Amino acid sequence: MKKVLLRSLGALLALVMVFGCMDLLLRYRYSDSITSIRRFYEQEENTIDVLGLGTSHVYEGLSPAVLYREYGIAAYDLCAPAQTVWNSYYYFVEALKSQTPKAVVFDVYMMNTNGEYDTTANAIKTTYGMKWSENKYLAMQAAFPEEDFPEILLPFYQYHSRYGELSSSDLLPDNGDEAYYGDSYKGFYTYDTVQEIDRPTPEKWTNTRTFAEKHERYFRAIIELAIERQIPIYIISIPYAVASDTQTTVNTAARITGEYDSPLVHFIDFNKCYDEMGLDFTTDFSGKQHLNDNGAIKFTSYFGKILKEELELPDRRGDAAYASWEENARVFYRLYENNDLKQVSDLPTYMDRLSELSDGYRVFLAQNTCISKESALSMQTGTTVFHDEEISDELRKKVEEYRQKVLSVQPLARTMETLFPGKESLTFGGVWERTENGWTLVGENAEGFEKYIALGKKNNLKLAAQSSRGEDDTYYLCELSFNGVTHSQDLGLTILVYDTELDRLVDCVTFRNEQSEGTRK
């Protein structure tokens, strides 16, 4: 009987272990939401001075890195996509279990909605990362319809069939998403996309509207919890392409906030501060709904000054206990420098930016060329000196004349001539690496070569070249392959930039002379 009992317990233990491993493997890992709350739990107690609540407007607009770098403020964005006001409330309650923030920030964007519940996917993103507690139970109860509740309470039931979607990223921290700064993550999502949008005119729209009962109840609950805990709260609208109907939501939030006769309660509509922030609607937005990194820096810098002037916030810079915020700022500004380079579309400016890069980059330049005897005077690359013993001196002279003409008008040609003046190897193209002594030739296409270079702990760069002679043309082609993906296949100039400090690829771009600007392919 004892043996049977031991065997049964052993089988049960094994089943629990298998179930636990399956749960760890299959659980949702949404990097734009679940990561935020799980990483929040890793923060040391009472280290967060400013707590951000709300949607992607917050985690793409309010940068903890900028607050720390410019003002020494330790902030965290505890947010999720389309985070409903009730889930913002329960996140606030959850945060107060381990933190005593000196200010809380809540963005009102989701007050635009009226539904009793958000989509199941968004509700899962907002609740599944929370630790089990009464507060999580209440958060899920508010987030999901009653008829769905029994199934929702068992997360494994929701994702047990996800094995068909598994990939190598499921085995990596934060799903391998490099935007989350590793261990120094503070809830902010780096966004480098640039989209020009029309400037709104919110000052013209003064109407208000009625909030849905559930929305207003939880909105007031957030304000009242802050007052109860004696925490200054800033109800804000982060800049976006607000319209006449959505501005009514902002105006209504301002009216309700004004009902609270408390010095702790503040309201700021940042859509009415464009000029003060210096927002540029051609460069500072990733789309109609969100700021990009350019805009986030401007908005956060402006808001941070207000926080610093109105509140007694300590300067955490230089404090060893806040080393993770220091690292977060370092990574953010490094990413910003990298993303800024990726926005450059013309070759002359790109080469200028390369010369301005700080330390810790490896840069490779690969040139592919094509030489045609019959069409030598209409070469597209404009960087080659025709070099073939079978060519007459007369034709060689004509080609050189054409080359000089091309140099005067084509950016790619001018750049190559500047980098490698008088280099005969330009005839065949090749691969160069930027070093302290300038550009060093790694290998020349005409000779044919193959070389592997380890970049960081996990990345590999393959450099190879060959010539291919056709009936009329000779192609001198480079293969510049990063982790098995070949980038330099077209005629022209390919530039690969690798950040050795962050251990990641920054950019790989090919420039051609099909347009006079030498634009990015």
Side-chain angles (χ1 to χ4, degrees):
M1 182 68 181
K2 185 176 180 180
K3 289 184 178 180
V4 172
L5 181 60
L6 289 175
R7 287 175 182 172
S8 299
L9 289 174
L12 180 61
L13 179 61
L15 182 62
V16 170
M17 292 177 65
V18 169
F19 181 84
C21 291
M22 290 295 291
D23 182 71
L24 286 173
L25 182 63
L26 295 174
R27 65 172 52 179
Y28 294 122
R29 292 176 173 81
Y30 296 114
S31 55
D32 59 356
S33 51
I34 289 180
T35 295
S36 178
I37 183 68
R38 286 180 175 166
R39 285 300 186 89
F40 175 83
Y41 290 128
E42 298 173 6
Q43 308 303 306
E44 294 291 331
E45 287 191 10
N46 297 322
T47 55
I48 296 172
D49 293 328
V50 173
L51 178 71
L53 298 172
T55 68
S56 53
H57 282 223
V58 180
Y59 70 65
E60 292 181 19
L62 183 65
S63 169
V66 176
L67 287 176
Y68 182 85
R69 177 68 62 87
E70 295 193 15
Y71 305 104
I73 297 173
Y76 194 99
D77 293 335
L78 188 56
C79 308
Q83 186 182 74
T84 57
V85 62
W86 42 91
N87 284 124
S88 291
Y89 169 77
Y90 288 110
Y91 266 31
F92 190 11
V93 173
E94 193 74 7
L96 293 179
K97 293 179 181 179
S98 61
Q99 302 293 332
T100 308
K102 295 172 176 57
V104 62
V105 177
F106 174 68
D107 179 78
V108 300
Y109 177 74
M110 276 304 288
M111 299 299 290
N112 284 307
T113 61
N114 292 308
E116 282 288 303
Y117 304 98
D118 196 3
T119 65
T120 298
N122 281 340
I124 284 174
K125 285 184 174 185
T126 306
T127 59
Y128 270 32
M130 298 174 70
K131 291 182 178 180
W132 277 108
S133 67
E134 180 184 8
N135 187 53
K136 176 172 180 174
Y137 180 85
L138 293 173
M140 296 179 76
Q141 198 172 49
F144 298 98
E146 184 177 352
E147 59 269 22
D148 296 341
F149 202 56
E151 294 180 357
I152 290 297
L153 279 175
L154 299 173
F156 191 75
Y157 181 86
Q158 298 298 314
Y159 53 68
H160 71 278
S161 60
R162 204 176 73 85
Y163 57 84
E165 305 171 5
L166 294 178
S167 65
S168 58
S169 65
D170 286 280
L171 304 176
L172 299 174
D174 301 326
N175 275 25
D177 192 330
E178 296 176 335
Y180 284 95
Y181 307 90
D183 293 338
S184 70
Y185 171 60
K186 303 300 177 187
F188 183 81
Y189 193 98
T190 295
Y191 217 97
D192 62 341
T193 304
V194 176
Q195 180 179 324
E196 182 175 352
I197 67 171
D198 295 330
R199 176 173 172 145
T201 56
E203 62 279 359
K204 294 182 178 180
W205 306 314
T206 59
N207 291 341
T208 59
R209 70 180 185 85
T210 301
F211 286 157
E213 185 278 331
K214 184 177 180 181
H215 289 67
E216 182 169 340
R217 173 160 45 92
Y218 277 100
F219 180 52
R220 291 181 180 275
I222 290 174
I223 297 174
E224 290 163 10
L225 179 58
I227 295 174
E228 176 189 336
R229 298 294 291 267
Q230 289 296 289
I231 301 171
I233 182 167
Y234 284 79
I235 308 297
I236 66 172
S237 178
I238 292 177
Y240 72 104
V242 66
S244 58
D245 57 339
T246 52
Q247 184 61 34
T248 62
T249 294
V250 182
N251 297 339
T252 305
R255 177 181 58 76
I256 293 174
T257 303
E259 295 176 8
Y260 291 88
D261 184 20
S262 170
L264 296 172
V265 182
H266 309 262
F267 181 86
I268 306 176
D269 182 359
F270 286 103
N271 278 296
K272 295 180 180 178
C273 307
Y274 297 145
D275 293 331
E276 293 88 338
M277 284 183 280
L279 278 186
D280 186 334
F281 287 82
T282 66
T283 62
D284 295 341
F285 290 82
S286 63
K288 292 184 176 181
Q289 294 299 318
H290 301 105
L291 296 168
N292 58 23
D293 290 348
N294 294 319
I297 290 174
K298 293 178 181 179
F299 160 70
T300 306
S301 178
Y302 182 77
F303 186 28
K305 184 179 180 181
I306 293 174
L307 293 173
K308 199 69 174 178
E309 290 175 348
E310 295 185 353
L311 305 175
E312 294 183 4
L313 296 175
D315 188 337
R316 305 296 190 178
R317 289 172 292 190
D319 187 336
Y322 290 83
S324 63
W325 270 271
E326 181 69 41
E327 174 64 8
N328 176 266
R330 184 189 72 83
V331 173
F332 171 80
Y333 283 98
R334 186 84 176 184
L335 287 172
Y336 181 72
E337 182 178 15
N338 294 348
N339 293 336
D340 187 53
L341 180 68
K342 291 192 293 185
Q343 302 304 320
V344 178
S345 60
D346 66 283
L347 180 60
T349 304
Y350 198 94
M351 298 306 295
D352 288 342
R353 293 290 177 85
L354 285 183
S355 66
E356 297 167 358
L357 286 178
S358 53
D359 295 335
Y361 292 93
R362 295 190 73 174
V363 182
F364 296 87
L365 184 152
Q367 181 201 9
N368 285 331
T369 65
C370 171
I371 299 174
S372 168
K373 295 180 182 181
E374 285 74 16
S375 59
L377 297 182
S378 60
M379 291 184 296
Q380 294 300 304
T381 62
T383 61
T384 60
V385 181
F386 195 21
H387 185 77
D388 192 308
E389 293 179 357
E390 299 178 7
I391 300 303
S392 66
D393 290 339
E394 182 180 357
L395 183 53
R396 188 189 303 277
K397 182 179 179 181
K398 289 181 179 180
V399 171
E400 178 60 20
E401 290 174 353
Y402 175 75
R403 174 174 179 269
Q404 292 300 328
K405 181 179 180 181
V406 169
L407 284 172
S408 67
V409 295
Q410 292 193 351
L412 175 55
R414 294 199 306 273
T415 298
M416 295 297 289
E417 181 74 359
T418 301
L419 291 173
F420 313 109
K423 294 285 187 181
E424 200 170 79
S425 58
L426 292 182
T427 302
F428 308 108
V431 179
W432 291 264
E433 180 177 8
R434 190 184 68 171
T435 64
E436 293 181 358
N437 300 319
W439 293 93
T440 301
L441 184 65
V442 178
E444 191 174 345
N445 297 27
E447 299 171 352
F449 69 96
E450 185 171 290
K451 185 174 183 178
Y452 292 84
I453 298 176
L455 294 175
K457 299 178 181 179
K458 58 183 179 180
N459 298 301
N460 180 68
L461 179 65
K462 176 186 177 183
L463 307 175
Q466 62 178 345
S467 62
S468 175
R469 186 178 294 273
E471 182 177 343
D472 298 318
D473 304 307
T474 300
Y475 294 89
Y476 294 100
L477 302 176
C478 291
E479 177 190 348
L480 195 156
S481 180
F482 182 79
N483 289 346
V485 178
T486 300
H487 293 274
S488 58
Q489 296 175 313
D490 293 329
L491 297 180
L493 187 66
T494 299
I495 303 172
L496 182 143
V497 182
Y498 188 82
D499 187 335
T500 58
E501 285 193 12
L502 299 184
D503 199 13
R504 64 189 66 178
L505 181 67
V506 175
D507 197 15
C508 196
V509 56
T510 297
F511 291 96
R512 298 188 64 177
N513 269 316
E514 294 170 342
Q515 299 182 34
S516 60
E517 294 83 6
T519 52
R520 159 190 296 261
K521 177 192 170 190

